[in-house]
Amino acid sequence: MTDTQTPFSFSLNATDGKARTGVIQTPRGDIRTPAFMPVGTAATVKAMMPESVRATGADILLGNTYHLMLRPTAERIAKLGGLHKFMNWDRPILTDSGGFQVMSLAGLRKLTEKGVTFKSHIDGSKHEITPERSMEIQELLGSDIVMCFDECPALPADRKRIAESMELSMRWAARSKAAFGDRPGHALFGIQQGGLEQDLRGQSAEALREIGFDGYAVGGLAVGEGQEAMFDCLDYAPDQLPVDKPRYLMGVGKPDDIVGAVARGIDMMDCVLPSRSGRTGQAFTRKGVVNIKNARHADDPRPLDEGCACPACSNYSRAYLHHVFRSHEMISGMLLTWHNLRYFQDIMDGMRGAIAAGTFEAWQKEFHEGRAQGDIDPL
């Protein structure tokens, strides 16, 4: 149930170096930061029930504007009571703007000052997204955190292309803010662009501050530039954004990407990796990545990760997980996705505690040392 008395707000509770922990308050409940948002692309976190996602420790989910506008359509979801009711998730939802998916999925797209026209990757039908239409779709969905419509060029790209794209995104950000209007209890986040160019990132941050948003995302990373380049950018990009608002790094990432981003001042992240990897037999553990399909697990009665309390680790052996993956049983994707999501949430929980206690550096050291050990020896 929505508590209409609770406005959207952000409280910073503790910092340790650049790492921050706090709470985003929304009418649908609190989001503890740093927060990892599981991705529910088409109104479902694949292979998971909503109550199971909540049981992993998730406070918020991400929904995908591009996919939902194409199927089943935002208008249909609105008629059926909005996205929360439609997918049986009563806690906060963030929806992305559709910009990244148009870049990466749509065929034959045409970019103009007005917006983007594109052909659906599903059936080839023609659609248009503008900043105004993106705001309309996200309002029909009823999401709690709405993202500005932006253009996200793939990296590497030349400086001129990145500058033009960033400037267009800033004009679209102003139009998004105007179209968003006054929606108490709902938040609008601006998206910083500028590739790997520090001055362009600074100009973008300045333009966004001038427009004024409830939160700020670092966009245009994790698009092929590699971890080192991403971290170099994150060494300055979050500092260019307001201290008193949430900072969201879009589309990240692997466990060590997440920890490195939080160490550089990021509060929120999302990624399809835990669920996608779970469906392909890959598990993230405290001792690194495990491929459950490997024959070495066939006779192994031990749990996947003895430090994990998820159902896959508590109730099943590596031998069973190997068997159901090899047999193409649905439970394989369900159990491994649950495990991966729980592991990601355990990382967030560990970081929140360590930042609050002022022991984040020691926590990071232990995290990296554990993963560097590699998997337990075969029997």
Side-chain angles (χ1 to χ4, degrees):
M1 248 336 261
T2 307
D3 172 7
T4 48
Q5 303 311 304
T6 309
F8 181 93
S9 66
F10 176 56
S11 327
L12 204 52
N13 297 339
T15 57
D16 188 353
K18 284 188 180 182
R20 301 144 44 106
T21 184
V23 177
I24 299 168
Q25 288 186 300
T26 82
R28 289 187 184 270
D30 289 351
I31 304 158
R32 299 161 296 166
T33 66
F36 178 79
M37 300 182 280
V39 177
T41 303
T44 170
V45 177
K46 287 182 174 64
M48 295 288 284
M49 301 280 281
E51 48 272 42
S52 310
V53 178
R54 178 65 181 144
T56 67
D59 292 336
I60 175 171
L61 292 185
L62 183 140
N64 193 282
T65 292
Y66 169 87
H67 287 279
L68 294 170
M69 72 172 276
L70 295 178
R71 186 170 58 191
T73 75
E75 287 73 13
R76 179 169 286 147
I77 290 172
K79 275 190 209 150
L80 292 165
L83 186 55
H84 296 84
K85 185 180 178 190
F86 186 60
M87 69 180 291
N88 187 32
W89 175 264
D90 62 0
R91 297 191 61 79
I93 294 175
L94 178 148
T95 42
D96 60 15
S97 68
F100 178 77
Q101 278 71 29
V102 170
M103 174 198 91
S104 59
L105 291 179
L108 298 173
R109 64 197 178 90
K110 187 183 172 198
L111 184 70
T112 65
E113 185 66 38
K114 186 185 176 193
V116 187
T117 51
F118 62 92
K119 283 192 171 179
S120 159
H121 74 288
I122 298 166
D123 60 8
S125 56
K126 199 174 171 189
H127 299 267
E128 181 179 51
I129 307 189
T130 62
E132 293 76 16
R133 176 63 178 147
S134 178
M135 295 304 103
E136 181 189 15
I137 293 165
Q138 293 181 77
E139 184 169 3
L140 286 166
L141 295 173
S143 54
D144 306 278
I145 301 177
V146 169
M147 298 306 296
C148 271
F149 188 59
D150 66 333
E151 202 241 333
C152 179
L155 297 180
D158 64 60
R159 184 183 160 87
K160 183 170 178 287
R161 167 82 178 92
I162 289 167
E164 285 169 357
S165 172
M166 181 274 287
E167 287 159 7
L168 176 64
S169 287
M170 295 309 100
R171 295 192 295 275
W172 283 0
R175 283 168 56 192
S176 294
K177 173 82 185 270
F180 180 79
D182 182 26
R183 296 182 59 205
H186 297 265
L188 180 65
F189 280 25
I191 305 175
Q192 182 201 48
Q193 292 288 356
L196 302 173
E197 310 284 335
Q198 187 165 354
D199 60 328
L200 296 181
R201 287 262 170 201
Q203 286 171 38
S204 177
E206 202 175 313
L208 293 173
R209 280 171 179 266
E210 211 168 290
I211 299 164
F213 291 97
D214 302 301
Y216 295 83
V218 177
L221 292 178
V223 288
E225 74 283 358
Q227 189 191 67
E228 192 183 340
M230 179 176 80
F231 280 173
D232 286 348
C233 182
L234 291 176
D235 282 337
Y236 59 78
D239 298 334
Q240 297 171 330
L241 302 170
V243 174
D244 61 343
K245 303 284 182 179
R247 299 163 176 169
Y248 163 31
L249 177 60
M250 305 180 77
V252 170
K254 292 177 181 157
D256 50 335
D257 292 338
I258 288 171
V259 173
V262 169
R264 289 163 174 81
I266 292 294
D267 306 304
M268 304 166 70
M269 279 138 294
D270 74 280
C271 193
V272 296
L273 203 61
S275 46
R276 182 177 287 165
S277 297
R279 298 193 306 279
T280 56
Q282 193 174 58
F284 295 94
T285 77
R286 283 151 186 78
K287 294 186 173 179
V289 179
V290 172
N291 280 315
I292 205 65
K293 53 177 155 286
N294 292 350
R296 60 162 285 189
H297 305 296
D299 295 301
D300 196 332
R302 297 172 297 180
L304 185 58
D305 183 341
E306 62 184 14
C308 180
C310 83
C313 295
S314 304
N315 303 325
Y316 300 95
S317 64
R318 287 176 173 229
Y320 180 76
L321 296 172
H322 171 80
H323 159 68
V324 288
F325 180 80
R326 289 289 202 174
S327 305
H328 306 290
E329 291 292 345
M330 278 191 283
I331 197 172
S332 169
M334 293 158 64
L335 289 172
L336 291 179
T337 299
W338 191 320
H339 165 77
N340 284 342
L341 288 173
R342 175 62 187 263
Y343 175 60
F344 273 57
Q345 295 299 346
D346 284 351
I347 292 172
M348 308 321 284
D349 198 44
M351 287 195 289
R352 290 191 293 262
I355 296 164
T359 57
F360 185 57
E361 203 167 309
W363 183 93
Q364 278 192 91
K365 187 169 179 284
E366 196 179 319
F367 166 82
H368 289 300
E369 282 173 356
R371 285 174 58 80
Q373 282 175 26
D375 194 15
I376 51 178
D377 290 333
L379 287 175

